[in-house]
């Protein structure tokens, strides 16, 4: 059961809101096409915490 | 009062040349005299501040000093839960946010001897980059009344610029520390994601929220960061990495550092004066021995799209109750932004989180393999007039918000440390700013570059003339 129903009139969101949501969904559809099975959200923390100090490599 | 920094005042207090009570009283008098027009405070705790200052003075008399923050007046964005004070989060509800734990960052500063003057104005629910607020008054830019102070940490930046306090805390989900710092001509630092605990702070988007300092100088921002950074058991996302003594690294010369000036995205459609000021800042760093190179960075637009999905979905989950039960209390543009989140699918939200990891990995690998920092503008134009940003339909206002924060948002999605430093003024006296971005957890290099730049120029030393 949905806990949130902000739009009472046939529960239909206003036009601009539909456009905004559609734009965001289209962006994800476009960008996520080649995600591999191994890519998961926690990869973000791994990137930050495990960034090697490439300055040392360059030196 | 307007000439002190945390570093200089801390030394004077420790040497018993200045009294914490005297300083606190002076700040409170200045707030009482001038903040009626600027509207940077929501709550002023004069009684509590003076009581704390008296205790700290007694400690000094007994030979006890807590360090560089002993007796320093600070104030906090009104989304930090501080025991005994209400936390409105910029809403009409006096106590919108409560938490089992006090704000960890505030606790660390207070334990270090800082005096809490009060809680600062902000954009409602931290949703907006201009600092307008229908409930607590629009924060005015101290340099140019009638113009935006930037947001959402509008009061945090304006209070520092106006000389009401020596430093403040803000939060940054899409630019909310750096944008007001840039508009108000002060220093603002968004640290790396995980560097500073968010415990006891109203969340807007768990994946994108950062807490950081606003101050008059880069050295002061470094001092505050040193106090608030580090692991906190109350915030599972806070890093266990050690915290450097940032202030001790500030004077390390910047010669040999490689600084990139992006040729794509960040200078597109930029105001001419801002463009010239940021490029001039690059030349100053070059003059100090840094190697400045033009570089092409991975397109930040996908990161911004992905961040928008994450921010909308998480903020609507967090603030569902006020939208559901009291939507009439919210400003129309704030409500509109929250409502989008209710219609984002779980599929899109999860794909966005996965994509974010990829973009962060690619960006760090491609950019920081050959560079120590990036240099970019913070705001696309000097602080615009308040009436102009509030005009038009909700859709127009929301669209304007997105354009104004387009230069800061990428670094929330990427989680990278980013510092806003004053770099000049427009012809009519509005501040300009440059953004210095570093690799993960390398705040030390970012601060070092900012400090070197600041010392080579006098932009940060100027003060607005307040009536």
């Amino acid at each position: 059961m949905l806990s949130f129903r902000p739009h009472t009139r046939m529960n239909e969101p206003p036009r601009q809101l539909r456009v905004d949501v559609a734009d965001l969904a289209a962006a994800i559809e476009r960008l996520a096409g080649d995600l591999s099975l191994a890519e998961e959200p926690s990869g973000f923390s791994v990137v930050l915490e495990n960034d090697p100090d490439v300055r040392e490599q360059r030196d | 009062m307007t000439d002190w920094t945390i570093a200089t005042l801390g030394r004077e207090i420790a040497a018993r040349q200045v009294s914490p009570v005297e300083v606190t009283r002076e700040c409170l008098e200045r707030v009482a005299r001038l903040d009626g027009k600027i509207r940077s405070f929501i709550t002023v705790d004069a009684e509590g501040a003076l009581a704390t200052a008296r205790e700290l003075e007694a400690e000094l008399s007994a030979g006890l000093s807590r360090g560089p923050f002993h007796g320093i007046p600070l104030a906090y964005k009104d989304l930090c839960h501080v025991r005994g004070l209400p936390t409105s989060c910029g809403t009409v509800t006096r106590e919108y946010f409560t938490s089992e734990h006090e704000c960890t960052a505030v606790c660390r500063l207070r334990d270090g001897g800082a005096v809490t003057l009060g809680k600062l104005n902000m954009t409602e629910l931290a949703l907006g980059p201009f600092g307008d607020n229908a409930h607590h008054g629009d924060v005015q830019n101290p340099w140019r009344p009638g113009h935006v102070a930037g947001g959402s940490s509008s009061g945090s930046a304006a209070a520092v610029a106006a000389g009401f306090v020596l430093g403040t805390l803000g939060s940054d989900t899409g630019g909310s520390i750096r944008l007001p710092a840039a508009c108000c001509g002060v220093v603002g630092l968004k640290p790396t994601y995980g560097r500073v605990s968010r415990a006891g702070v109203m969340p807007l988007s768990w994946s994108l929220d950062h807490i950081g300092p606003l101050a008059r100088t880069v050295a002061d921002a470094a001092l505050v960061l040193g106090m608030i950074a580090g692991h906190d058991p109350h915030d599972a996302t806070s890093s266990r990495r050690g915290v450097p003594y940032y202030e001790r690294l500030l004077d390390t010369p910047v010669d040999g550092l490689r600084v990139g000036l992006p040729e794509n995205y960040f200078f597109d459609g930029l105001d001419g004066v801002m463009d010239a000021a940021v490029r001039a800042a690059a030349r100053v760093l070059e003059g100090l021995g840094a190697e400045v190179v033009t570089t092409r960075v991975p397109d930040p637009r996908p990161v911004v799209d992905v961040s928008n999905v994450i921010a909308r979905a998480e903020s609507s989950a967090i603030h569902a109750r006020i939208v559901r039960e009291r939507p009439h209390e919210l400003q129309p543009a704030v409500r509109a932004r929250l409502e989008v989140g209710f219609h984002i699918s779980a599929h899109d939200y999860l794909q966005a989180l996965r994509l974010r990891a990829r973009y962060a990995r690619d960006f760090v690998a491609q950019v920081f393999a050959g560079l120590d920092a990036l240099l970019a503008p913070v705001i696309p134009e000097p602080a615009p007039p308040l009436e102009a940003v509030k005009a038009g339909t909700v859709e127009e206002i929301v669209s304007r918000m997105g354009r104004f924060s387009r230069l800061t948002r990428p670094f929330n999605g990427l989680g990278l440390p980013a510092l806003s430093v004053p770099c000049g003024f427009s012809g009519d006296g509005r501040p300009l700013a440059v953004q210095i971005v570093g690799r993960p957890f390398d705040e030390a290099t970012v601060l070092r570059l900012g400090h070197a730049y600041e010392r080579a120029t006098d932009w940060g030393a100027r003060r607005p003339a307040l009536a």
Side-chain angles (χ1 to χ4, degrees):
Chain A
M1 184 179 138
L2 285 176
S3 60
F4 176 75
R5 291 184 181 275
H7 307 288
T8 51
R9 188 165 164 247
M10 298 174 67
N11 202 32
E12 181 69 14
R15 186 185 158 279
Q16 185 59 43
L17 197 153
R18 289 201 308 271
V19 170
D20 292 345
V21 172
D23 285 349
L24 292 171
I28 295 300
E29 179 71 23
R30 188 174 68 249
L31 299 170
D34 63 344
L35 274 170
S36 78
L37 295 180
E39 292 183 83
E40 55 173 291
S42 65
F44 175 68
S45 300
V46 173
V47 170
L48 297 186
E49 291 286 354
N50 295 349
D51 173 43
D53 191 342
V54 287
R55 278 170 301 181
E56 288 174 12
Q57 292 171 16
R58 208 174 56 236
D59 295 341
Chain B
M1 193 60 229
T2 55
D3 290 331
W4 292 115
T5 65
I6 294 171
T8 57
L9 181 60
R11 282 196 292 272
E12 292 294 305
I13 289 175
R16 309 291 309 273
Q17 297 298 306
V18 178
S19 135
V21 174
E22 182 189 335
V23 169
T24 300
R25 195 167 281 140
E26 200 177 324
C27 285
L28 288 169
E29 282 169 5
R30 193 168 167 82
V31 171
R33 186 159 47 87
L34 296 170
D35 199 44
K37 287 181 182 167
I38 293 177
R39 314 294 290 263
S40 67
F41 275 82
I42 288 179
T43 302
V44 177
D45 184 22
E47 201 175 310
L50 284 168
T52 303
R54 280 191 281 269
E55 286 171 22
L56 291 164
E57 193 155 300
E59 287 183 12
L60 284 173
S61 300
L64 300 171
S65 172
R66 301 191 190 195
F69 284 85
H70 195 114
I72 301 291
L74 303 178
Y76 308 112
K77 186 174 182 177
D78 200 26
L79 47 57
C80 300
H81 174 54
V82 180
R83 198 171 296 131
L85 298 177
T87 304
S88 76
C89 305
T91 69
V92 73
T93 308
R94 184 177 143 84
E95 299 202 42
Y96 178 76
F97 175 70
T98 56
S99 166
E100 185 184 345
H101 304 289
E102 269 196 288
C103 172
T104 297
V106 170
C107 287
R108 289 181 178 176
L109 289 163
R110 193 176 53 206
D111 291 348
V115 175
T116 301
L117 245 61
K119 307 284 290 296
L120 297 161
N121 203 349
M122 55 181 283
T123 312
E124 186 174 29
L125 294 179
L127 274 164
F130 296 123
D132 54 308
N133 188 305
H135 314 300
H136 302 281
D138 299 339
V139 179
Q140 301 289 321
N141 192 312
W143 290 94
R144 198 149 173 93
H147 289 65
V148 306
S152 63
S153 310
S154 46
S156 299
V160 172
F164 296 152
V165 284
L166 284 94
T168 59
L169 291 181
S171 65
D172 193 318
T173 307
S176 287
I177 289 172
R178 292 159 287 159
L179 297 168
C183 288
C184 291
V186 302
V187 172
L189 173 67
K190 181 199 84 66
T192 308
Y193 185 82
R195 180 71 295 183
V196 175
S197 167
R198 292 98 44 89
V201 179
M202 178 208 84
L204 178 60
S205 169
W206 301 288
S207 301
L208 301 167
D209 290 344
H210 302 68
I211 304 301
L214 294 98
R216 286 186 194 157
T217 64
V218 175
D220 280 0
L223 278 170
V224 176
L225 180 66
M227 291 291 286
I228 63 177
H231 180 66
D232 175 15
H234 298 310
D235 179 356
T237 66
S238 66
S239 173
R240 292 183 180 275
R241 283 193 178 212
V243 179
Y245 288 101
Y246 296 110
E247 71 278 13
R248 294 185 193 170
L249 301 170
L250 288 175
D251 288 320
T252 310
V254 298
D255 56 308
L257 289 180
R258 279 173 62 86
V259 179
L261 205 56
E263 64 183 20
N264 58 318
Y265 186 79
F266 289 96
F267 289 87
D268 296 347
L270 198 65
D271 170 84
V273 177
M274 192 68 76
D275 186 304
V278 175
R279 292 184 194 281
R283 288 193 294 277
V284 170
L285 286 173
E286 210 163 28
L288 294 169
E291 186 185 349
V292 178
V293 294
T294 304
T295 188
R296 190 161 190 86
V297 299
D299 186 359
R301 286 174 295 188
V303 181
V304 172
D305 286 339
V306 159
S307 300
N308 283 340
V309 170
I310 296 169
R312 298 287 191 279
E314 293 184 354
S315 59
S316 65
I318 293 163
H319 298 291
R321 195 165 172 183
I322 190 169
V323 184
R324 186 174 60 231
E325 296 177 358
R326 306 188 305 280
H328 55 280
E329 290 184 1
L330 295 168
Q331 292 173 229
V334 171
R335 192 171 68 220
R337 288 182 71 179
L338 287 171
E339 286 189 340
V340 171
F342 291 116
H343 301 277
I344 288 172
S345 69
H347 169 271
D348 287 348
Y349 173 63
L350 289 168
Q351 297 292 63
L353 286 174
R354 296 172 74 203
L355 283 163
R356 179 205 197 191
R358 169 194 287 188
Y359 292 133
R361 185 182 64 230
D362 292 350
F363 195 93
V364 169
Q366 287 182 41
V367 172
F368 293 110
L371 297 172
D372 296 296
L374 277 180
L375 217 56
V378 187
I379 44 179
E381 58 179 315
L386 269 161
E387 290 312 315
V389 301
K390 295 197 293 182
T393 63
V394 167
E395 290 75 31
E396 287 167 339
I397 294 169
V398 171
S399 171
R400 204 175 283 136
M401 289 175 170
R403 286 197 299 276
F404 198 67
S405 59
R406 65 183 287 276
L407 306 171
T408 50
R409 296 189 84 80
F411 303 115
N412 292 77
L414 296 168
L416 301 173
L419 177 74
S420 176
V421 184
C423 72
F425 291 88
S426 64
D428 60 357
R430 289 172 289 165
L432 310 172
V434 60
Q435 185 170 210
I436 305 171
V437 183
R439 64 160 38 84
F441 293 98
D442 195 12
E443 283 82 2
T445 298
V446 166
L447 290 163
R448 196 171 130 204
L449 282 161
H451 181 66
Y453 172 76
E454 186 182 68
R455 292 185 72 161
T457 59
D458 75 338
W459 306 120
R462 300 188 188 185
R463 302 282 176 259
L466 301 176

